[in-house]
Amino acid sequence: MNVMTERLIQIALLVVIIGGWQLGVAAGVIDVFFFPAPVDIFDQVVTWVADVDFYSHVAITLTETVLGYLVGTALGVAAGVWLGLSRSAARILDPFIKGLNAIPRVVLAPIFVLWLGLGLWSKVALAVTLVFFVTFFNAMQGVREVNPVVLSNARILGGSRSDLLRHVYFPAAASWILSSLRTSVGFAVVGAIIGEYLGSSAGLGYLIAQAEGNFDAVGVFAGILILAIFVLIIDSILDIAEKRLIKWRTSATERPA
């Protein structure tokens, strides 16, 4: 099945879902109080996009997401590589890491608000906690999956510790790390939105919370749609970066059947 056929199937599925939804609303089968018509949701999105103030909300959520994503990724990769190389340190810190990872992130949101206030950094902190562990576990596992033969050959050739990190460990863990980066994008957005939802005066989460408070299902679904598009755009950017950074990886068309 070629790419064009797959795209046509995706478009057909989208048309069937949205068309069936709209027909169900028109026929009275679907209650618009809980599931508003797709046309009304689209009209709400257009109304928001046409409003200049809407972009300030997008900018705030984008800033929180990007900061939480970058900080969480940097800390997760650094800690994952360190504990992946140091098995003794990993064994010592293992119960503490598992305990911290077991804490529900939603519980941390009010604590961050108390510590950092209702501003930007409480949302960033929550996003960091969501992104960190996803990146951390993948980076640590990627480092541990290094081929021992390649590692031994690099050491025989006189590679220093920094050379091994640069030419052996990081390339070997790149697939793991980039896979976690794509997964953690959604978590970064979730962290920012939950923080805004619990307490803020701006952002997409604030718009959704405001619509929910007014029992405006159209506004809630419009906010969800915008967030989905938001994540898809970031995921597309990461997909391009992944193809550029991992040029050595065998593509699906080159793999043997």
Side-chain angles (χ1 to χ4, degrees):
M1 186 180 296
N2 56 34
V3 177
M4 182 61 69
T5 304
E6 293 174 352
R7 293 291 179 267
L8 290 175
I9 293 174
Q10 290 173 345
I11 294 172
L13 286 173
L14 184 63
V15 170
V16 169
I17 293 171
I18 296 178
W21 185 354
Q22 184 67 40
L23 289 174
V25 171
V29 177
I30 299 177
D31 191 344
V32 293
F33 182 80
F34 300 103
F35 295 96
V39 174
D40 296 334
I41 297 172
F42 180 76
D43 289 341
Q44 181 63 65
V45 172
V46 172
T47 301
W48 279 349
V49 171
D51 187 2
V52 179
D53 294 334
F54 170 75
Y55 295 98
S56 63
H57 294 284
V58 174
I60 290 171
T61 301
L62 179 62
T63 302
E64 295 164 353
T65 301
V66 171
L67 287 175
Y69 183 73
L70 293 178
V71 175
T73 298
L75 293 176
V77 170
V81 171
W82 171 48
L83 295 183
L85 296 175
S86 178
R87 297 298 180 98
S88 59
R91 287 192 295 269
I92 293 171
L93 297 177
D94 181 67
F96 301 100
I97 293 171
K98 289 180 179 178
L100 290 173
N101 188 36
I103 299 175
R105 305 303 185 269
V106 178
V107 176
L108 296 176
I111 297 176
F112 289 141
V113 170
L114 289 174
W115 290 350
L116 304 172
L118 293 172
L120 173 75
W121 294 109
S122 60
K123 285 74 174 176
V124 173
L126 185 59
V128 168
T129 60
L130 288 165
V131 172
F132 172 81
F133 287 101
V134 177
T135 311
F136 165 75
F137 287 115
N138 278 272
M140 183 172 65
Q141 189 63 34
V143 169
R144 291 181 175 179
E145 291 292 329
V146 172
N147 191 325
V149 176
V150 175
L151 188 59
S152 299
N153 290 338
R155 286 171 176 164
I156 291 172
L157 293 173
S160 62
R161 189 174 182 84
S162 61
D163 292 331
L164 294 177
L165 281 173
R166 179 180 177 184
H167 299 291
V168 180
Y169 286 112
F170 277 117
S175 293
W176 291 80
I177 294 173
L178 285 174
S179 175
S180 68
L181 293 183
R182 300 188 67 171
T183 305
S184 58
V185 168
F187 286 103
V189 175
V190 168
I193 295 301
I194 289 177
E196 293 173 352
Y197 189 85
L198 293 178
S200 67
S201 59
L204 295 177
Y206 167 76
L207 291 179
I208 295 174
Q210 193 177 42
E212 181 183 350
N214 294 327
F215 296 99
D216 180 13
V218 175
V220 173
F221 275 87
I224 293 172
L225 177 60
I226 290 172
L227 288 176
I229 296 172
F230 188 66
V231 174
L232 287 175
I233 292 173
I234 298 177
D235 186 72
S236 300
I237 295 172
L238 287 176
D239 188 40
I240 295 172
E242 183 178 3
K243 290 178 181 178
R244 290 180 177 273
L245 291 174
I246 311 184
K247 295 181 180 179
W248 50 264
R249 186 178 60 183
T250 304
S251 63
T253 56
E254 295 174 346
R255 292 172 188 160

